[in-house]
Each structure stands twice: as C-alpha cells, then as structure tokens.
Amino acid sequence: MYEDRGRLAALWESELEVFRAGRPRSAEQWERAVQHMPDGVPMLWMSKWPGPWPVYVENAAGAHFTCVDGIDHVDLCLGDTGAMCGHAPRASVQAIQAQLSRGSTFMLPTEDAAAVAELMSERFRVPVWQFSLSATDANRSLIRYARQVTGRPRILVHDYSYHGTVDEAYATLDEHGAVVSRRGNIGAPVDVAQTTAVVQFNDVESLERILAAGDIAAMLIEPALTNIGIVMPDPGYHDAVRELCTRYGTILIIDETHTFSAGPGGLIAELDLRPDAVVLGKSIGGGIPAGAYGMTREFAQAVRDSLHLEDIDVGGVGGTLAGNALSLAGIRATLSEVLTPEAFAHMIDRCTEWTAGVQAAIDEFDVPWQVTQLGARAEYSFRPTAPHDGREAAEADDFELQQYLHLHALNRGLLMTPFHNMALMCPATSAADVERHTVAFREAVVSLYG
Ligand SMILES: Cc1ncc(COP(=O)(O)O)c(C=O)c1O
C-alpha cells in the first residue's frame, strides 16, 4: 500500500494539468461526444482511462499512434491485445482489403477457411475449429457445447479470471469460500452460484473437491491469469488440472486470448498442454473482429452427434457474421506473415528489456513492487512478490496509484493497458520505444519514492 496519499493527490493534480494543457483537440471531440454517448465514449469502459477526457486517435502504425493533438505515443496497450500484431500490419491490411473488394460476408466459406483451420491446428494443438467474431463468443459457444455433451449444469473458473462478457465467469469467492457475483456484475441473469464454481489458481486440493462433485461441465481457464496482473502456474499445476478434468469427465477449455503472448503457439505450446478445447481472439484477425475455438476430434464429434441438422442454426451457437470471409482472410495473413515465430522472438526480447527497465527502478529505490513477464507481455503490481493466485493479485490493487502512473505515462507519450499495469510488445516495438518507458517509469518512481 502506498502510504503518502497527500503526495499522490498532489502528483495526480499536476499531471491532470499537463494533460489538459496538451490535449485541446481531444477535449473538443469529447465535448461533442458527450451529447450523444454516455460519458462521451462508444463503450462505457473507455471512460476509465485516466484524465478528464479520453485521447482521440488520429492514426496508428506499428507500435505507435498519433492523437488528434499531434502527440506521438508508444502504444504498450495495443488494444489490450487486439493489436498485438501491431497497428495496420501490411500483410493483414493487404489481405483484408483484397477480400473486402471481393465481398466480405456470404454465409458461405471461402478458400481461406480450410487454410486457417489448418494454421490454427498447427499452432494450438487441437484439430477441429470454428470461428466467431470475438473471444467472448468463442467462450460462450464452448460453454454451451460442453453442457450439451456432458449434460452437466455448471462451469468452473479461476477466481479473478476474465473471459470476456460471459455470464458464467462473473463469479468470485467471498471470505467464507462461497461463490458470489464479481463486484460490478451488471444485471446478472441468475445467481452465479447456480451456474458457476470458483477455485483459486494453483489450488489443486480445492480443484479436486469441486470436480469430484460431478456437476462441472467445463473448466474454463487461462493457463496463466492475465487480467488481474499476471499469475503464473506452479510447476505441475497444469498436469493436475488435466488429470483431474479427465478423471471427473470435465471438458478442459484453455482460453489463450491473452496468453498467446507467450509464443507462436501460446502457453499451450510453451508448456505442452493438452486441452479439450482452445479459445483465441483479439489479435488473430490483424485488427478486425475475429475469434476462434478449437476442439479435439472426440469433443467435436460428440457435439456434432448431439445436434440435428434441422435445428443447427437456432441452437444458441451462431452469429450471422461469424466465420465471415473478411475475418478469415485477416487470420490467414496475420498468422502466416505477421505473428510469425521470428516476430515473437523479437517481441519477447523487447519485453525482456521492458521488464528489466521496470525491475531496475524497483531495485534502485527499493520499491515494494514486482514485475512478471509472460513472453511479449509483462506487468508490475504493488506487492513485493509475484502473486500466487487471483485473490493475492486483487489484494495488491491500488486504483488511485494506478491511475496516476497511467496518466504520468500518457503525458510522456506512453499508453499502458487500462485497468492494470500491463505492457505488450508487437513486432514493430523497438528498443527505443522500450527505453522511452524505462526513462518515464523511473521518473514516476522518483516522484513517488525519491
Ligand atoms: C482471456 C480473455 N478471454 C476473452 C476475452 C474477451 O475478449 P473480447 O472482449 O474480444 O471478446 C478477454 C478480454 O480481455 C480475455 O482477456
């Protein structure tokens, strides 16, 4: 906990002044926008960016964007992974433009479909694929499929996980270990305890107890938590997860939407995991909406056997534009030409430098914070050691401190991922981009602890 709240409040005020002085055109845009959108933003969560109004983007390329006030930014947020491929990557843009000029949505497959399913199978180790417009929808679809083939009602998630706007995943454990709604869960359709069981990350004992009850259709997990800070798995944790899911007949879904940052085949390839189903989204489309969910042949066959052709379009898994030609063209180009193994090697090197820069400032000023790297993504948190589970990570949260650090960075032309202290590298991120953060971060630490 940062103790000197008076100092923090004063620092915040002075950064607010810098922001206001430097962003008049964004202010004009925002004044217009508040007339017709709540908080002046097209999605309400955009109002959570630090500062009195959001920054409006003029254009972006690679790891940088320029705002309407003409300020150049190093983008370490990268659309919270939606632009992990970099902004407007040439190969993806060319393929998307070419498809767009030939038509984009037909309710029929194009030649890209089989090629993309092959690419996904090679990378993420399950052989049968379906497509969606978002990772959220991919998760929702797999949850339905898992209930369908197991005949079981509940889904198991990790405490403080995030899997998109999936009703079942908005659950947490209270201090007595009971399943309750996550703070801020908007208009929950039913009591989450009816649909969901929750286990702490790395807690094998509780995991076995929950699965043994025999009512869990699917365990939906990130292989490392990335949405409450980064929480890495203990050695052997995933072996236990796999073994217990198999033993108790639960479908194991690994959501790689963010952990794809670990390498070309995500953490599945890095840790040699064997899921029954896999979810990808965000970055794979090269900047346009695309999601994907893969299954083992056995699971996919069980799903298919349970469905009648006549009802296949109205069963609750679908989306008129899902699997559209544009998304598939984007995925094909992005996986084959942008997010290549060589690109990942570069991204991970930059991230190692970024992490070292943060660690150096933490060490120099003996700050009680830690930083964790997961391939091309890294995150610092306000606790001295890496968190072991979601609850520990959540307890280290300090909203005001985080808002200050984000605004401090923004005023120096650095965009951090909102909602937490995460930075992501894309193939175009340079050593100079990373150095800009290293310098600014040290300066922020000096302002708080110097
Ligand atoms: C692990 C994970 N899964 C799924 C999603 C949902 O992605 P989208 O909002 O693009 O549907 C997110 C979003 O942050 C995520 O972090």
Side-chain angles (χ1 to χ4, degrees):
M1 177 74 174
Y2 183 70
E3 302 291 343
D4 195 346
R5 304 313 278 195
R7 184 173 179 177
L8 180 58
L11 287 167
W12 170 251
E13 283 306 321
S14 72
E15 290 302 327
L16 271 182
E17 270 175 43
V18 174
F19 184 95
R20 283 198 189 95
R23 317 267 180 178
R25 285 185 189 281
S26 275
E28 275 167 30
Q29 290 298 321
W30 181 71
E31 275 153 23
R32 180 179 172 194
V34 286
Q35 306 304 319
H36 296 289
M37 286 181 285
D39 291 14
V41 282
M43 274 309 293
L44 252 181
W45 47 253
M46 291 187 197
S47 61
K48 210 172 160 188
W49 285 104
W53 53 78
V55 168
Y56 285 74
V57 176
E58 177 86 44
N59 59 61
H64 287 241
F65 75 89
T66 307
C67 69
V68 291
D69 288 291
I71 302 168
D72 167 56
H73 297 76
V74 175
D75 191 351
L76 295 166
C77 166
L78 294 168
D80 191 11
T81 310
M84 186 169 80
C85 47
H87 294 294
R90 196 159 45 86
S92 310
V93 170
Q94 276 173 0
I96 291 164
Q97 281 174 342
Q99 184 60 54
L100 194 55
S101 63
R102 295 200 304 267
S104 53
T105 190
F106 314 111
M107 292 184 99
L108 286 169
T110 54
E111 279 181 4
D112 284 330
V116 167
E118 281 164 22
L119 283 169
M120 298 297 292
S121 304
E122 281 160 22
R123 294 253 185 143
F124 302 105
R125 299 185 169 193
V126 285
V128 184
W129 289 84
Q130 291 282 271
F131 297 91
S132 62
L133 292 178
S134 68
T136 297
D137 244 2
N139 281 322
R140 282 201 190 108
S141 303
L142 283 173
I143 285 174
R144 277 187 174 260
Y145 279 172
R147 285 200 176 113
Q148 170 87 356
V149 299
T150 62
R152 296 174 178 185
R154 291 205 300 161
I155 304 303
L156 174 59
V157 295
H158 283 130
D159 203 10
Y160 288 97
S161 59
Y162 183 73
H163 296 283
T165 53
V166 175
D167 286 322
E168 288 86 345
Y170 278 86
T172 187
L173 294 173
D174 69 10
E175 63 275 22
H176 310 294
V179 174
V180 293
S181 234
R182 277 284 284 269
R183 210 175 113 183
N185 186 6
I186 302 165
V190 293
D191 176 359
V192 281
Q194 282 178 31
T195 61
T196 308
V198 180
V199 67
Q200 291 299 343
F201 200 83
N202 283 324
D203 181 356
V204 176
E205 215 180 292
S206 302
L207 177 64
E208 167 141 33
R209 186 174 36 75
I210 293 166
L211 290 176
D215 67 341
I216 304 295
M219 182 174 182
L220 170 60
I221 61 171
E222 281 193 285
L225 296 183
T226 66
N227 284 291
I228 188 75
I230 295 173
V231 182
M232 296 299 286
D234 286 344
Y237 180 59
H238 282 296
D239 292 337
V241 168
R242 177 64 276 175
E243 199 273 310
L244 290 170
C245 283
T246 304
R247 193 188 317 161
Y248 294 109
T250 293
I251 303 289
L252 175 58
I253 305 172
I254 295 194
D255 180 350
E256 281 267 47
T257 305
H258 276 185
T259 49
F260 183 22
S261 68
L267 261 189
I268 289 175
E270 292 299 309
L271 300 180
D272 194 20
L273 307 181
R274 285 160 293 117
D276 300 305
V278 179
V279 166
L280 268 300
K282 297 201 183 190
S283 54
I284 56 171
I288 57 166
Y293 47 110
M295 292 161 274
T296 58
R297 282 197 196 286
E298 192 187 16
F299 179 34
Q301 194 59 51
V303 171
R304 188 64 194 87
D305 289 346
S306 74
L307 306 176
H308 297 291
L309 189 61
E310 194 178 342
D311 308 322
I312 225 156
D313 55 329
V314 287
V317 171
T320 314
L321 273 78
N324 71 78
L326 204 58
S327 300
L328 291 166
I331 303 175
R332 186 176 189 177
T334 305
L335 289 188
S336 21
E337 296 180 66
V338 183
L339 289 173
T340 59
E342 299 71 34
F344 269 99
H346 169 91
M347 290 151 69
I348 292 169
D349 282 352
R350 295 294 79 72
C351 195
T352 303
E353 291 162 13
W354 188 92
T355 307
V358 170
Q359 188 67 55
I362 289 174
D363 292 345
E364 185 181 349
F365 296 93
D366 205 16
V367 177
W369 302 350
Q370 66 82 39
V371 58
T372 303
Q373 181 181 357
L374 176 58
R377 151 190 332 273
E379 170 140 11
Y380 55 86
S381 64
F382 308 131
R383 45 173 290 130
T385 54
H388 188 244
D389 59 39
R391 178 159 291 269
E392 278 189 10
E395 281 168 359
D397 202 15
D398 184 333
F399 183 64
E400 286 169 1
L401 181 57
Q402 183 186 91
Q403 290 288 90
Y404 165 64
L405 287 162
H406 283 223
L407 189 59
H408 182 280
L410 199 54
N411 283 340
R412 284 145 191 84
L414 293 153
L415 189 76
M416 294 288 289
T417 308
F419 325 140
H420 38 125
N421 304 309
M422 193 178 78
L424 182 64
M425 313 295 137
C426 72
T429 307
S430 70
D433 296 335
V434 172
E435 182 60 17
R436 200 199 282 191
H437 179 269
T438 300
V439 170
F441 181 76
R442 184 182 181 281
E443 206 184 284
V445 168
V446 169
S447 74
L448 290 162
Y449 286 97

